[in-house]
Amino acid sequence: MRGGWSLRLRLTLAAAGLTGIALVVGALLLTTVVSQSRIAATDAVLSGTAEQVSALVAEDRVPPVLAADEPGEVVQLVDASGRVVATSPNASRTLPVLAPAALRETPDGAATRDDAAYGSGPVRVLVDTVPTGERVVTALPLDTIEGALDALRLSLGVVVPLLTLALGLVTWVVLGRALRPVEELRAGAARVSDVGGPGTLPVPAAQEIAALARTLNAMLDRLDASAQRQSSFVADAAHELRSPIAALRTSLEVARAHPQAYEDAELTADLEHEVIRLQELVDDLLVLARVGAAPLEVRDVDLAGVARAAAGEVEVRGEGRAVVDPSAVGRVVRNLVDNARRFARDRVVVEVRDGVVTVDDDGPGITAPDRERVFERFTRLGSARGRDSGGTGLGLAIAREIAREHGGDVTLGDSELGGLRATVTLPVPGSGG
């Protein structure tokens, strides 16, 4: 079997094996208990008979024939020389149950013997010494007990395997039904793997597996959305990179074809402009690709200090703190300030308070319907935000993704200066962010 035994088979074998072991142990214990109880009952019978004979000896009323109540029971009274004084009707007066030498070495009490003169198998023998020095010997064959134990062992030897097999079959069937939803999930996942796309895994009725199926469906949807975003991002990046590369190539081809018409200074200026655009675009793409790829190094920081370091010569007002990665949040502020300076007429102002940074400009602003669209990658609005303005179309997208990675956001609104206001919200100390 490829990949080893299935979970269903392993669980079935484990359940059947443990049950079989438990049944075997139980059978052994039952046999032991039955054997000991039967032996104890036999000892009680022998002890009662020995007490009766001892009482007769004490009263000097020993009859020549001793009474034996149980089938196969042998009772004898033997003197110190080993001679049988009295015996039960099923025994000889000349042949003692135990040979005289063996009797002398046998202490009082009950024991199982194989050397008794009567019986073809083991017997249970009880020896008791009376005050006169004579010894009472009572014996019962153990063949009935052994027969009962053999019958019990035989029945258990048949019952235990049958029960184990029956439990194994029941476990196999029950596990098959219980694992059917898992197999359906596996088949659904295989279809998604084969054909691609988000897919929809079947949601079974079982509550636990249904929760797993819903979680997997949500994960597949997120993965598909992420793959689509990645595909779109790669396509957009390729398109955006093609423009500066094409411009560089065109300038070089023109310079090669018309070396006298293309002065070195002009060629250098054109190439430098396109190289700077290309470098900015590549830098932004790398930043965007790294967002979420590594854990943030967040700590309680002076948000105003981070804003001043990122804003450069732009005026920064207010004070505040936030629990953030200062390097990442510095990139957010820098992108927003660069965007504001690109379109501002005269003024850009940054204001800080706990967990909030606002960047205001006095530029043309952005209409309300377009304020969400500008956060899409490579999106530019109107001629004022054309390619020649110097932007890559990624600044606002990077700012929002970094802010959301911190648990905050970036939103746009109207500025009191007449232009656009960009507001960054971030976790503050004690907020659990």
Side-chain angles (χ1 to χ4, degrees):
M1 184 181 298
R2 188 178 66 178
W5 292 355
S6 67
L7 176 62
R8 182 184 182 185
L9 180 58
R10 292 199 302 269
L11 290 176
T12 299
L13 293 177
L18 291 175
T19 302
I21 293 173
L23 290 175
V24 168
V25 172
L28 293 175
L29 291 175
L30 177 61
T31 303
T32 302
V33 170
V34 170
S35 175
Q36 292 179 349
S37 64
R38 296 298 293 271
I39 292 294
T42 300
D43 289 345
V45 171
L46 296 177
S47 178
T49 301
E51 289 176 359
Q52 291 177 2
V53 175
S54 298
L56 292 175
V57 172
E59 297 173 0
D60 196 19
R61 298 189 296 110
V62 179
V65 178
L66 299 174
D69 298 330
E70 295 294 326
E73 183 181 14
V74 176
V75 185
Q76 289 183 337
L77 180 62
V78 182
D79 62 15
S81 63
R83 183 177 62 86
V84 178
V85 177
T87 185
S88 57
N90 58 347
S92 171
R93 291 184 62 88
T94 59
L95 180 62
V97 175
L98 297 177
L103 180 60
R104 285 192 295 271
E105 297 174 356
T106 301
D108 290 350
T112 300
R113 305 291 291 261
D114 292 319
D115 56 352
Y118 301 93
S120 59
V123 297
R124 190 69 176 174
V125 176
L126 186 143
V127 179
D128 187 24
T129 303
V130 297
T132 60
E134 296 170 315
R135 308 193 78 182
V136 179
V137 180
T138 59
L140 269 174
L142 295 178
D143 53 352
T144 56
I145 297 177
E146 290 298 324
L149 291 176
D150 288 342
L152 179 61
R153 293 188 187 101
L154 178 61
S155 63
L156 291 175
V158 174
V159 170
V160 168
L162 289 178
L163 285 177
T164 302
L165 179 60
L167 179 66
L169 292 175
V170 171
T171 303
W172 178 264
V173 173
V174 170
L175 285 176
R177 294 180 177 178
L179 294 175
R180 187 175 301 148
V182 178
E183 174 59 22
E184 293 175 354
L185 285 178
R186 186 207 63 78
R191 288 193 298 271
V192 173
S193 177
D194 291 338
V195 303
T200 300
L201 300 179
V203 180
Q207 183 177 1
E208 294 81 2
I209 302 181
L212 172 62
R214 286 191 291 269
T215 301
L216 290 175
N217 280 330
M219 180 190 69
L220 289 173
D221 291 341
R222 288 195 298 272
L223 288 175
D224 183 68
S226 176
Q228 291 180 358
R229 288 196 303 269
Q230 188 72 15
S231 177
S232 176
F233 173 67
V234 170
D236 291 342
H239 179 270
E240 293 294 325
L241 288 170
R242 188 178 295 115
S243 177
I245 292 175
L248 288 172
R249 183 174 180 178
T250 299
S251 298
L252 291 173
E253 289 176 349
V254 170
R256 183 184 299 112
H258 306 283
Q260 303 301 325
Y262 215 144
E263 296 182 1
D264 291 346
E266 185 180 0
L267 175 62
T268 302
D270 289 345
L271 293 180
E272 182 181 16
H273 174 72
E274 295 301 332
V275 167
I276 291 174
R277 283 182 57 201
L278 185 60
Q279 181 179 358
E280 291 177 350
L281 182 58
V282 170
D283 288 343
D284 284 348
L285 288 173
L286 290 175
V287 171
L288 202 56
R290 285 195 295 265
V291 174
L296 296 171
E297 298 180 1
V298 299
R299 60 180 184 271
D300 185 353
V301 300
D302 177 9
L303 190 56
V306 172
R308 290 189 180 92
E313 298 178 356
V314 171
E315 179 184 2
V316 178
R317 304 173 181 173
E319 298 292 336
R321 306 195 68 81
V323 180
V324 296
D325 183 326
S327 176
V329 171
R331 180 63 185 243
V332 173
V333 175
R334 184 161 58 252
N335 283 11
L336 296 179
V337 169
D338 288 345
N339 186 74
R341 293 175 64 179
R342 189 173 298 120
F343 305 111
R345 295 186 179 90
D346 298 308
R347 296 186 61 194
V348 175
V349 177
V350 178
E351 293 191 5
V352 179
R353 62 180 187 275
D354 287 340
V356 178
V357 177
T358 60
V359 180
D360 291 288
D361 66 64
D362 59 354
I366 299 176
T367 60
D370 291 327
R371 288 174 185 169
E372 281 299 312
R373 193 160 67 88
V374 292
F375 287 105
E376 298 175 4
R377 297 168 179 178
F378 304 112
T379 296
R380 300 179 182 87
L381 301 177
S383 58
R385 289 171 173 82
R387 284 182 197 279
D388 295 335
S389 64
T392 63
L394 292 174
L396 292 178
I398 292 173
R400 170 167 278 186
E401 292 204 19
I402 293 176
R404 287 184 173 178
E405 189 182 10
H406 282 81
D409 203 354
V410 177
T411 56
L412 302 180
D414 294 325
S415 170
E416 294 179 356
L417 300 180
L420 184 70
R421 164 172 288 185
T423 303
V424 186
T425 56
L426 299 165
V428 296
S431 66

